[in-house]
Amino acid sequence: MPTYHNDPTLAVPVFPGSHIVLDDRHVFLSGLTVTDIQGGEAVLGDIAEETRWIMRRLAHMLEYVDATLADTLRVEVHLTNLDTIHTMDAAYAEFFDAQRYPARTCTESPRLSGGSNVEITLVARRRPEKESSGTES
């Protein structure tokens, strides 16, 4: 049975959804932009920094449910300008083992929430109970 959670360090979603949904095997994280993160407006327009801020927050959200970026199976990236993909890729790659990149889709979305230039969402596997410390809420 799925459970629905919000990251207590983020504002409550203004959309009808949850930050985090857990089922028996997976962690589903809603799309995140820097304007969802307090102070993120400071890096708007710097694709590499927007990507790093988002990836750090996604890592934090995964830790909240006892997972890590290493557990990531699939990522969706939305860019307002696909010409910035190489800059985004360089920052994104810093967060994964080069031999274990998750499956990924990257699309151009001309308008993202809050004027952000990057939005990232992901699906990760949940660790079996015996490996996990059970940090669910």
Side-chain angles (χ1 to χ4, degrees), residues 73-119:
L73 301 172
R74 177 160 176 68
V75 175
E76 292 181 24
V77 178
H78 303 279
L79 297 171
T80 56
N81 181 350
L82 225 74
D83 291 340
T84 63
I85 192 169
H86 299 297
T87 303
M88 185 280 302
D89 277 343
Y92 170 89
E94 296 170 13
F95 293 87
F96 297 102
D97 177 337
Q99 303 304 312
R100 297 191 59 209
Y101 289 123
R104 192 182 91 184
T105 299
C106 186
T107 63
E108 183 172 278
S109 301
R111 191 166 168 223
L112 297 176
S113 177
S116 296
N117 297 288
V118 180
E119 181 173 12

Side-chain angles (χ1 to χ4, degrees), residues 7 9-11 19 30-44 49-61 113-114 116 118-120:
D7 181 328
T9 64
L10 290 175
H19 293 136
S30 287
L32 192 64
T33 68
V34 292
T35 57
D36 296 321
I37 305 166
Q38 185 166 349
E41 298 85 3
V43 298
L44 272 176
E49 282 306 303
E50 284 191 40
T51 302
R52 287 184 189 103
W53 272 57
I54 295 166
M55 292 302 295
R56 283 186 210 112
R57 179 54 64 163
L58 292 171
H60 172 79
M61 292 169 74
S113 177
S116 296
V118 180
E119 181 173 12
I120 302 173

